Structures are given as C-alpha cells and as structure tokens.
C-alpha cells in the first residue's frame, strides 16, 4: 500500500468561544492524488486547509484535537518551517501572498523557510512563465494586475516549490473559463509529477475526469467519497 502524505484521524478544531469549526475529520491522501474539497459556504473548507498547513492554531486561538500526520510525521512534532517544505498553499486572496516594492517578482512566500533565495524563486517563476501564460506579468506592478492574473502568478509560484502537497483555496474564483481549464491542465501535470493537490472549490468543471477523491464538507463534518462517481 502506498504511503499516506496526509492522514487525519478524529481531527477537530473549534474557533475560540465559537461552536463553529470542524469535527471528527477522518481521511487520508496518497501521493499523486487530486482531491476535491467541496461543500457550502461556511461549511469549514478553508478551516480544514488552515489546519493542514499549520496556520491553525498558530494564528488563531482555538483547540485542535485528534491526530494528523503529514508525510509520515506526527503534526504536533513538526515545526512550521519543516511543514512549509512539504505543504504549499494558495489562499482565497492571493494579494496577501505578495510583499512589495511593487513588482510581482517580490513574492510574499517566506522563502528562507523553504530554503529558497528570492533570486532562485524569481528564476523558477521565469522558467514557468510560458507554461502558465504569465508572459510579462512578473515585471508589472502588482497593483496593476487583475485578480485573475495575480491568482495565476500565486499558483505558479506555489507549484514552483515542488512540495509534496499543494492546497488551493478557491483557485478558480477569479479565473475565466480558459484560465480555469489551464489550471486543470497544470493540476494534472503536478499529479503526474507525484504531487498531491487538494482543491477547495464550489465549481470544479476544470478538474473533470481527474478527481481521485472527494471530501465533502457539511457543517464542519466530512464525508469522504473515494471517487468522483461516488460523489
Ligand atoms: P467559503 O466557501 O465561503 O469559503 P468555507 O467552507 O471555507 O466557506 P470557513 O471559512 O472554513 O468556511 O468557515 C467555517 C466556519 O467557521 C464559518 O461558520 C465561519 O464563520 C467560521 N470562522 C471562520 N474563520 C473564523 C475565525 N477566525 N473565527 C471564528 N469563526 C470563524
Ligand atoms: Mg473558504
């Protein structure tokens, strides 16, 4: 049996002084899987992704319980900088992923955490420019880019790091049909390179035929479907 890159057992999290959160979450993800995470607004998708990448409870007060292992290591024993080398994330608002002297080449990823220098990151992005259709975008002032253009750069830079797992939170929200289909092709390429991709989205036509598992979130509870057909 293949190793699990993520295994969650009875994972629960409640925001401080709130009944909202996620509870009794059980699932596993193997290398090279495309996983769709879907469910209504407010059902807990982003909360689950933030648990996986260490943002919860790092920046939010609240209780995380149950067990979670990432790339074979118990989550509680993994330090943030180690986690960042294994899991890459692109959030709903990619603007927050840039710091700026106003050029897009200035990326917000905590590069020292990944062991990359800024120059190396920019180099990687340039290599990916053609494939991702980012021609010329890197030299532009980020505030002149559209949300969709920013989204594509954030997605490209996240994949350039080649972590084992990528978390995309509503990646198609700002993309037109053509760019969403391009995103689908990129995700299939990442899968073929052995990366696991968890995509939280309400629309997923662009993943058509390449979903290996569906995580369906409903009021903080998770239902796991082992195939797109089962969903
Ligand atoms: P969407 O599809 O709109 O992005 P989601 O499934 O990603 O929704 P979450 O953002 O995970 O939903 O929110 C789950 C629940 O937790 C919601 O009820 C939300 O109001 C609540 N919540 C989210 N962030 C916090 C926070 N920082 N403090 C308290 N409650 C929060
Ligand atoms: Mg969300």
């Amino acid at each position: 049996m293949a190793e699990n890159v993520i295994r969650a057992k009875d994972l629960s999290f409640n925001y401080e002084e709130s009944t909202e959160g996620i509870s009794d979450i059980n699932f596993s993800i193997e290398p090279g899987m495309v996983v769709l995470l879907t469910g209504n607004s407010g059902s807990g998708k982003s909360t689950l992704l933030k648990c996986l990448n260490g943002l919860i409870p790092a920046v939010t007060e609240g209780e995380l319980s149950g067990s979670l292992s990432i790339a074979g290591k118990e989550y509680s024993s993994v330090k943030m900088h180690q986690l960042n080398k294994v899991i890459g994330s692109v959030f709903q608002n990619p603007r927050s992923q840039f710091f700026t002297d106003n050029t897009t080449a200035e990326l917000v990823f905590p590069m020292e955490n990944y062991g990359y220098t800024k120059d190396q990151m920019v180099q990687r992005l340039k290599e990916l420019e053609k494939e991702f259709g980012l021609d010329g975008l890197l030299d532009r002032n980020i505030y002149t880019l559209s949300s969709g253009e920013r989204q594509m750069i954030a997605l490209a830079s996240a994949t350039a790091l080649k972590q084992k797992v990528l978390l995309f939170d509503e990646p198609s929200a700002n993309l037109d049909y053509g760019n969403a289909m391009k995103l689908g092709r990129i995700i299939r390429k990442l899968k073929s390179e052995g990366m696991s991709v968890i995509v939280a989205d309400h629309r997923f036509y662009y993943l058509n035929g390449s979903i290996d598992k569906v995580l369906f979130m409903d009021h903080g509870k998770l239902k796991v479907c082992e195939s797109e057909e089962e969903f």
Side-chain angles (χ1 to χ4, degrees):
M1 217 169 102
E3 57 159 327
N4 292 323
V5 281
I6 295 184
R7 195 174 56 79
K9 205 165 172 304
D10 303 328
L11 190 71
S12 296
F13 173 79
N14 271 343
Y15 289 102
E16 193 186 30
E17 294 172 7
S18 161
T19 52
E20 308 297 344
I22 54 174
S23 59
D24 302 321
I25 305 290
N26 288 284
F27 70 94
S28 61
I29 291 175
E30 289 159 26
M33 272 192 170
V34 173
V35 178
L36 170 68
L37 171 59
T38 194
N40 290 343
S41 293
S43 58
K45 302 179 297 296
S46 298
T47 303
L48 175 58
L49 293 186
K50 286 179 200 162
C51 285
L52 297 180
N53 76 3
L55 276 182
I56 282 174
V59 296
T60 320
E61 295 296 324
E63 282 288 314
L64 186 68
S65 64
S67 92
L68 178 62
S69 73
I70 309 277
K73 288 205 176 101
E74 266 312 304
Y75 187 78
S76 51
S77 67
V78 179
K79 296 200 168 57
M80 192 71 182
H81 73 276
Q82 295 168 322
L83 203 59
N84 286 342
K85 282 186 186 149
V86 182
I87 297 192
S89 321
V90 183
F91 292 110
Q92 281 178 275
N93 180 2
R95 179 184 286 249
S96 65
Q97 296 203 323
F98 299 97
F99 63 83
T100 180
D101 66 357
N102 284 341
T103 63
T104 52
E106 295 285 331
L107 295 168
V108 127
F109 285 105
M111 281 155 283
E112 59 284 6
N113 289 352
Y114 294 110
Y116 282 76
T117 65
K118 193 162 85 183
D119 285 350
Q120 284 172 318
M121 276 293 291
V122 171
Q123 185 54 41
R124 291 278 212 156
L125 269 174
K126 285 197 188 298
E127 284 164 20
L128 289 169
E129 264 190 311
K130 278 226 153 35
E131 196 162 343
F132 286 86
L134 304 174
D135 314 4
L137 294 186
L138 286 179
D139 301 320
R140 295 250 312 269
N141 179 320
I142 66 161
Y143 295 108
T144 69
L145 297 180
S146 75
S147 308
E149 287 168 338
R150 251 184 259 139
Q151 184 88 8
M152 287 308 281
I153 289 180
L155 291 164
S157 50
T159 66
L161 294 168
K162 297 209 167 137
Q163 292 99 329
K164 288 192 170 134
V165 186
L166 287 168
L167 311 177
F168 292 162
D169 201 354
E170 300 203 19
S172 74
N174 296 314
L175 301 182
D176 59 51
Y177 179 81
N179 273 313
M181 295 308 277
K182 189 190 287 178
L183 171 64
R185 289 196 294 278
I186 291 165
I187 288 172
R188 280 188 280 280
K189 177 178 154 58
L190 299 172
K191 172 185 165 72
S192 75
E193 290 172 352
M195 297 169 97
S196 302
V197 189
I198 304 181
V199 185
D201 220 332
H202 297 280
R203 286 163 295 272
F204 38 88
Y205 56 90
Y206 58 93
L207 294 175
N208 193 17
S210 39
I211 297 171
D212 298 304
K213 195 174 264 209
V214 181
L215 305 180
F216 180 71
M217 196 64 103
D218 183 16
H219 293 91
K221 300 266 185 197
L222 190 70
K223 180 177 174 230
V224 180
C225 303
E226 296 298 337
S227 68
E228 196 171 349
E229 292 70 36
E230 196 189 310
F231 173 52

